[in-house]
Amino acid sequence: MANYFDRLRLFSGDEWMDQMRPDETDEIEAYMDDDDEPFHDDDLDLKVPEVIGILPIRNTVVYPGTVTHLAVGRERSKALLKNTEPNETVIGLLTQRNPDTDRPEFGDLYSVGTTASVLKTIKMPQGSINIVVHGIARFRLVERVATRPYLKARIKMLHVRTKMTKQLQALAVSVRHSANRMIALSPNIPEEASVLLENIEDPSSLADFLAANLSMDLPQRQALLVELDPGKRLETISVVLAHQLEVLELSHKIQGRVRESIDKTQREYFLQEQLKAIQTELGQQDARTEELRELHENIAKAKMPKSVEEEALRELDRLNKIPAASPEYSVIRTYLDWVCELPWSVQTQDQLDIARAERILNRDHYDLTKIKKRILEFLAVRKLNPTGKSPILCFIGPPGVGKTSLGKSIARSMGRKFVRISLGGIRDEADIRGHRRTYIGALPGRILQELRKCGSRNPVFMLDEMDKIGADFRGDPSSALLEVLDPEQNNTFTDHYLDQPFDLSTVMFIGTANYAEPIPPALQDRMGIIELPGYTTQEKLNIAKKYLVPRQLKEHGLKEVHLTIKEEALATIIASYTREAGVRNLERNIAAICRAVATEIARRDKRRRTIGKKDLASILGPTQFESELALRSGIPGVATGLAYTPVGGELLFIESAAMPGKGHLQLTGQIGNVMKESAQAAFSVIKANAKRLDIDVKQFGRFDYHIHVPAGAVPKDGPSAGVAMFTSLVSLLLHKPTRPEVAMTGEITLRGLVLPIGGLKEKLLAAKEAGIKKVILPARNRKDIADIRPETIKGLDLVFVENTDDVLKAALDGMT
Ligand code: ADP
């Protein structure tokens, strides 16, 4: 039977019973005792007197049939032990209501307790005594007898009467089952405990045994002592057991999972160590360590923002763990290279010396006074308020008018680097913002690519061809651009590849476009638009003399003494070899001349050369453009219109012809819908006014009419050719030619009114260059003339008209 209690104490290991922590206990301590004497379950062997000594205990309840270890320290308790004969004297154990009470009186104790015999007394070195008690039976306190030298009381034994019912049996089976399950799950309880459990047949003993060994709070323990009905006790225990079993199962599951993950990490660690060992054997490890060390250094050197650095270090850590041969290795490697090479904190010092900037702008560009002034104002504001959000500039104008070179000059005058990307044809948001790293071969977008290339975070960044951005199913690049150009947002511009914000607020963006209209309005709003219209022949001549020729000479290694290009030659190039609003082709032709002369000089054929008008054909070939004016006019049915295209103003020769038919109107040429409609309108105005205009109405039934708008690679559209189409048709119908030196522009209404048009300056420039003398313009455009420089319209006769009658008067020979 000693074994029984050995087992029992084992059974009450930490998980089972935690009601007595040594630091809290004074009198009581429960532990396993191997030296117990055999114990007889027959508690009635001991005769219980009516008055017995009471030992107050704290933190625990001793149940009948169990053996408990108690530590005794208080004087009155020691006095009681002195009067106690081991194995003979019966004492009463009563639990304190409050474990903190140091000198408990009867009022501080519960009134139901357990009689017990002291099995053993062990004197401890510090004067305290340890005792082993064996609980015998329940009693109730009846009368307090004495409090000195120890508590004495009259008691009444409480007898448990067990009536074996089916329900009680079932309850016992169920509780036993749960307890067995608990033993199986608790690694600290030996398997034999379940054998022990099977041996306790009496339900009351079973309840007491389990109550002693389950973890519960004191009031609950006491309640299980007070309750005499074993069925009720077993019910309570079954609930406690179920609860503890659940906790145990859960913790078992968690432990299992933890173990699993530890196993996995250990396995990985082990494999990695092996891999390292293999790599070292193969001599790879050193190279790799060196590579990783270098990357680490690069990360630190790049001085990136904290969050980015953390991410980079995380990736580096990942890199460290994957074999160099895996595809992911190179993905992470490329990413880290990108991150390290971005100019996170490299920037040029701004030089905002306005006088110097002005010098540079003047040195690089002829005239453009208004534009230079705008740029200088812009720089001045930057100087006074460097952190302020200045507007983004956008240069609008035809090709070759100096948009790019102005951008370069701005960069030079501020001491910044210059980068340029063309947005023409960009349809994919990823072009701007990059692809996510999950894509194979992903890269950052153009913005970050250029910044890395230029190696500075504050360059002048030119976005060319903003009017040619497209949008399709791959997303709208303009929305990404909006973010780039928004000073409120672009300090946290997030590229998909980088997946970390990059501050673009110090970049100075400049947009360029041929037209303002196609630029999405939201983008236009973000920018300060500066228009650069085309140059007149005179301006081109000046630019050529002062800028283009000296520049080309220098580029071709020629000195002024080597080559002189006469003004007449330059004028011929402008008139007959180029047709443009800017000076790009002019510069190209000058470059061609310089090349030819450089060859001659290098071959020592010649020492110096002067190029006149007649030399051009041998170098540049036959002339490319001829004035069509003389060819075209003089015939009824031809009228000269003025068009505005992306390359500047242009003459538009509109031809009409009649052929037998039924009065249909046909239109051909590279023209758009709006122009077609305005031809219809012109035709209707003529029909409606035929009589007044002296036109034979019968013609309309016998002829078909055809309007053709020839020439020009550039498609044309817009209503402004209405007047010219009208004139061309009237000229045909009346058999009167238009005056050769007259050009016209204007939209017409069905009532014959002439409405204003756009692109006035470009159109007048083109007219003047083509040798037109008189231009017919809508009266309502008169106010726009004030914006045009007087030189541009010098020598042009401007006729402002209100309606179609005015037009005919000015355009047709012999009309009054
Ligand atoms: P864009 O970008 O408008 O198409 P560019 O800036 O490429 O035009 O200009 C073409 C060439 O013409 C450049 O070499 C530029 O220096 C020159 N150029 C244009 N306008 C002027 C000017 N006003 N003065 C001097 N050179 C000019």
Side-chain angles (χ1 to χ4, degrees), residues 484-555:
V484 170
L485 297 181
D486 185 350
E488 304 289 337
Q489 294 185 43
N490 69 5
N491 55 344
T492 56
F493 171 72
T494 305
D495 185 279
H496 287 327
Y497 178 79
L498 200 66
D499 209 18
Q500 289 289 334
F502 189 94
D503 184 359
L504 294 178
S505 62
T506 52
V507 176
M508 179 174 173
F509 287 102
I510 299 180
T512 83
N514 292 142
Y515 283 123
E517 290 79 32
I519 305 178
L523 277 177
Q524 277 194 48
D525 278 358
R526 300 247 187 294
M527 301 187 288
I529 304 257
I530 298 184
E531 288 190 31
L532 290 99
Y535 298 115
T536 61
T537 308
Q538 191 56 45
E539 283 169 339
K540 288 184 188 170
L541 211 52
N542 285 332
I543 295 176
K545 279 196 289 190
K546 293 193 186 138
Y547 294 86
L548 306 183
V549 174
R551 203 183 296 158
Q552 289 304 325
L553 284 179
K554 199 168 157 211
E555 267 177 32

Side-chain angles (χ1 to χ4, degrees), residues 364-366 368 398-406 535 543 547-548 551 583-584 587:
D364 297 345
H365 297 96
Y366 170 78
L368 299 176
V401 290
K403 300 183 292 295
T404 314
S405 70
L406 276 173
Y535 298 115
I543 295 176
Y547 294 86
L548 306 183
R551 203 183 296 158
V583 292
R584 195 174 281 171
E587 187 167 24

Side-chain angles (χ1 to χ4, degrees), residues 504-718:
L504 294 178
S505 62
T506 52
V507 176
M508 179 174 173
F509 287 102
I510 299 180
T512 83
N514 292 142
Y515 283 123
E517 290 79 32
I519 305 178
L523 277 177
Q524 277 194 48
D525 278 358
R526 300 247 187 294
M527 301 187 288
I529 304 257
I530 298 184
E531 288 190 31
L532 290 99
Y535 298 115
T536 61
T537 308
Q538 191 56 45
E539 283 169 339
K540 288 184 188 170
L541 211 52
N542 285 332
I543 295 176
K545 279 196 289 190
K546 293 193 186 138
Y547 294 86
L548 306 183
V549 174
R551 203 183 296 158
Q552 289 304 325
L553 284 179
K554 199 168 157 211
E555 267 177 32
H556 289 84
L558 296 169
K559 301 252 159 49
E560 261 179 59
V561 290
H562 292 137
L563 171 64
T564 315
I565 305 179
K566 283 194 190 160
E567 190 167 326
E568 55 160 42
L570 291 174
T572 311
I573 298 174
I574 294 167
S576 304
Y577 286 88
T578 62
R579 184 164 284 173
E580 59 179 350
V583 292
R584 195 174 281 171
N585 287 326
L586 176 58
E587 187 167 24
R588 242 176 241 155
N589 280 301
I590 294 172
I593 294 174
C594 292
R595 269 200 310 277
V597 174
T599 325
E600 289 175 2
I601 290 180
R603 279 209 205 129
R604 299 188 190 282
D605 293 349
K606 288 250 164 57
R607 297 193 112 193
R608 49 170 302 146
R609 188 78 204 268
T610 304
I611 303 287
K613 190 172 159 184
K614 57 181 185 340
D615 302 310
L616 292 178
S618 64
I619 298 174
L620 302 177
T623 53
Q624 315 259 321
F625 304 98
E626 282 175 31
S627 169
E628 287 174 290
L629 218 49
L631 298 175
R632 303 263 178 171
S633 39
I635 314 160
V638 176
T640 311
L642 290 169
Y644 176 46
T645 70
V647 291
E650 210 175 274
L651 291 203
L652 203 61
F653 297 102
I654 293 172
E655 303 170 338
S656 302
M659 59 221 86
K662 290 197 171 123
H664 293 302
L665 179 69
Q666 192 191 345
L667 275 132
T668 52
Q670 285 217 34
I671 56 178
N673 284 336
V674 180
M675 205 180 232
K676 282 183 187 155
E677 280 162 19
S678 70
Q680 290 289 355
F683 197 43
S684 302
V685 174
I686 294 170
K687 281 191 194 163
N689 295 288
K691 220 168 185 172
R692 205 163 52 74
L693 293 171
D694 264 346
I695 293 170
D696 178 5
V697 196
K698 284 189 216 121
Q699 291 187 61
F700 295 125
R702 285 187 264 131
F703 291 100
D704 275 348
Y705 297 91
H706 182 172
I707 300 184
H708 181 62
V709 185
V714 194
K716 298 168 188 76
D717 196 13

Side-chain angles (χ1 to χ4, degrees), residues 265 268 272 276 288 291-293 295-296 299 308-324 328-329 332-333 335-336 437:
T265 352
E268 272 174 18
Q272 251 159 36
K276 271 192 204 153
R288 187 173 162 161
E291 187 183 347
L292 292 173
R293 196 189 53 74
L295 274 173
H296 200 278
I299 293 173
V308 185
E309 186 171 300
E310 276 165 12
E311 168 74 14
L313 289 175
R314 252 198 307 276
E315 290 293 307
L316 186 66
D317 196 40
R318 272 181 63 204
L319 195 68
N320 197 3
K321 289 182 187 145
I322 17 187
E328 217 191 332
Y329 187 89
I332 299 179
R333 177 75 232 237
Y335 174 77
L336 285 175
R437 249 186 296 159

